[in-house]
Amino acid sequence: MGEVTDKLKTIIDSITEISIFGVGVKWEQRKVTETASSSEVPLLPEQLLTFIWDYPLGPGNQASWAVREIALLRGEFNLAREQPSLGIAIASTEFTSGVFGETANSRIDICIQWAMARTDPKPPHYFLVEVTHPPIWHVTKEPDFRHTLALAIILARNNRHPKRLEGYVDIVLESQREDGGWAPGGNTEASEMFTVLYAIELLHECANLSDLSDNRRIACAKARDRALRWLMDNRTSTGLWVGGVLSEYAWEGLHTTSWVLDRLCRLNDVIVAGWRDCFIDGLSTMIREASGPSPWRGTDPHRRNMVEARVAASVRNARAFWSLRDDPRHLADSYLEGWERQARGWLSSLSISEIDLATAVFLLEGLFEHQVLVEHRKELLKSTQ
């Protein structure tokens, strides 16, 4: 653990036990002189990349390469880290595969092995989550459809366990409702919005997966298109999507919409009536909303920066895949330019111990173009050879 660039090595003088959200882990602690200033911010890409790269080698459930997003944004950091959900694992494995290439395969396998060990040994092999039942607080393990979909996406994207994946695809195809959606399926925090979102992403992956039969691929494409129509029909009157699980916060629509856009930005070539206009309008609405004061009233700056990192990542990814023009392009460029100044100011006041896995991924995606991250990766790996 602790691969770092040569540049970082010059400012590391000891290995120290630090606490990240209450859990002690070994980490190379950067010793900064009293005269250090925010001019050292350019070092952060290597720090954040190292943190993400080493995360699955850490203790306990870090092998999942995930955190529980809902708990994290509610400030329940220990719970987020110790009882992770697989949604963020989609992003962390995708990000690391894109930046580190085949070098990331062994770490992705660690994540998959962690998840597979938590599935029901009996078909259809749903992912099992712990559910607490009041008033006696009895804990049981119950199948969770949403987490199962997240695992299936990771399997499809990394060409792992094809027979298991085929079974998951059949379940998704068989359980799609007439309106194009799916029942949430899971514990009380499950939201139909996220279930449909993950089902769309899985179906899109499988519609283009050569290992599946032609009939399955065609069925996946048709089911995906029906689900996209459901998604378009279920935007709120504000122009945003909401999931309902963080409804106590005014920024809940921003968070859900950023996740929808981030996960579906690669569906830019899907031809479904109204889809392109819906995506771009949702993006523009999210940017305008995030740029105003309303969603942030009463929100502490740290949490706002966490949420805006997610918004910024979705904006940069959308800009990369959708060839934005005119007003949407101007909105995206202006937002990222303003957010970058804010984010760098925030980061200059933090240590690596104050950054969680998900926020580290979204910060890097929001701040840097893909090729820049690849260059930082080359330096990081070079230092370990």
Side-chain angles (χ1 to χ4, degrees):
M1 190 174 181
E3 299 117 325
V4 291
T5 63
D6 291 335
K7 191 173 183 180
L8 274 175
K9 284 182 179 178
T10 63
I11 56 172
I12 296 172
D13 60 27
S14 66
I15 297 178
T16 306
E17 186 79 6
I18 63 172
S19 175
I20 300 179
F21 302 140
V23 181
V25 297
K26 289 290 185 184
W27 192 259
E28 284 83 358
Q29 183 183 37
R30 184 161 61 101
K31 297 293 186 179
V32 183
T33 66
E34 293 181 0
T35 59
S37 68
S38 60
S39 64
E40 290 182 334
V41 169
L43 294 174
L44 280 168
E46 287 88 352
Q47 274 193 299
L48 295 178
L49 274 175
T50 301
F51 176 52
I52 295 167
W53 181 241
D54 284 342
Y55 194 87
L57 305 181
N61 286 330
Q62 285 184 222
S64 66
W65 223 337
V67 291
R68 181 172 293 187
E69 175 81 341
I70 294 168
L72 185 68
L73 292 176
R74 285 179 174 153
E76 300 166 348
F77 300 123
N78 286 335
L79 176 63
R81 196 160 177 263
E82 294 168 8
Q83 298 182 24
S85 57
L86 280 176
I88 293 299
I90 303 174
S92 63
T93 54
E94 176 185 79
F95 171 85
T96 315
S97 178
V99 174
F100 288 87
E102 293 183 359
T103 311
N105 287 347
S106 61
R107 282 165 164 78
I108 292 172
D109 284 336
I110 292 173
C111 171
I112 291 174
Q113 290 165 11
W114 179 92
M116 294 286 282
R118 284 156 180 78
T119 60
D120 191 336
K122 301 177 183 176
H125 306 295
Y126 279 109
F127 189 89
L128 301 175
V129 298
E130 291 187 354
V131 179
T132 303
H133 305 275
I136 61 173
W137 307 109
H138 175 60
V139 177
T140 60
K141 290 187 176 181
E142 299 184 8
D144 189 294
F145 186 48
R146 182 165 47 101
H147 284 76
T148 304
L149 291 172
L151 171 58
I153 292 168
I154 297 170
L155 296 181
R157 185 164 288 136
N158 294 282
N159 297 313
R160 302 294 200 276
H161 301 281
K163 291 299 182 183
R164 176 72 69 91
L165 176 61
E166 286 183 11
Y168 289 153
V169 170
D170 288 342
I171 293 169
V172 173
L173 293 173
E174 293 165 4
S175 59
Q176 188 176 27
R177 299 183 311 205
E178 288 296 322
D179 66 356
W182 286 264
N187 57 45
T188 56
E189 286 189 341
S191 167
E192 183 179 14
M193 178 62 65
F194 298 113
T195 301
V196 173
L197 172 61
Y198 293 161
I200 292 172
E201 187 172 3
L202 173 63
L203 290 166
H204 183 67
E205 288 289 332
C206 292
N208 298 285
L209 197 62
S210 60
D211 289 344
L212 292 180
S213 67
D214 290 344
N215 288 339
R216 271 200 180 94
R217 291 202 305 273
I218 292 170
C220 285
K222 290 181 177 178
R224 175 203 62 200
D225 294 352
R226 289 175 56 208
L228 278 175
R229 295 186 188 99
W230 182 98
L231 190 73
M232 290 187 284
D233 290 341
N234 281 274
R235 281 170 74 197
T236 68
S237 58
T238 66
L240 301 175
W241 285 279
V242 297
V245 292
L246 290 166
S247 56
E248 67 265 38
Y249 301 108
W251 43 258
E252 195 270 350
L254 290 176
H255 171 258
T256 300
T257 302
S258 70
W259 195 226
V260 169
L261 299 177
D262 192 68
R263 299 318 317 148
L264 301 186
C265 64
R266 289 165 180 77
L267 275 67
N268 57 310
D269 59 350
V270 173
I271 301 174
V272 171
W275 167 235
R276 181 174 181 84
D277 289 342
C278 177
F279 185 97
I280 292 177
D281 185 66
L283 175 69
S284 299
T285 302
M286 179 187 69
I287 293 172
R288 291 190 183 99
E289 181 74 7
S291 301
S294 296
W296 312 119
R297 290 194 181 101
T299 300
D300 67 86
H302 185 75
R303 183 172 282 137
R304 172 177 177 170
N305 280 307
M306 291 171 67
V307 176
E308 285 215 75
R310 288 144 174 81
V311 172
S314 68
V315 172
R316 189 175 291 276
N317 284 330
R319 190 178 68 174
F321 283 94
W322 282 73
S323 301
L324 301 176
R325 297 182 178 88
D326 304 324
D327 188 49
R329 175 70 187 219
H330 174 71
L331 277 172
D333 290 349
S334 298
Y335 177 78
L336 288 174
E337 182 180 351
W339 174 79
E340 181 174 346
R341 291 193 298 270
Q342 173 185 315
R344 288 185 179 278
W346 177 49
L347 286 171
S348 68
S349 69
L350 299 176
S351 68
I352 195 68
S353 66
E354 295 174 285
I355 296 292
D356 64 89
L357 173 69
T359 303
V361 170
F362 295 127
L363 276 169
L364 288 173
E365 287 194 333
L367 283 169
F368 301 102
E369 300 293 346
H370 176 74
Q371 189 55 41
V372 174
L373 293 173
V374 171
E375 291 302 318
H376 283 297
R377 172 264 293 176
K378 291 177 181 177
E379 290 300 314
L380 190 153
L381 292 181
K382 190 188 302 181
S383 71
T384 68
Q385 296 174 352

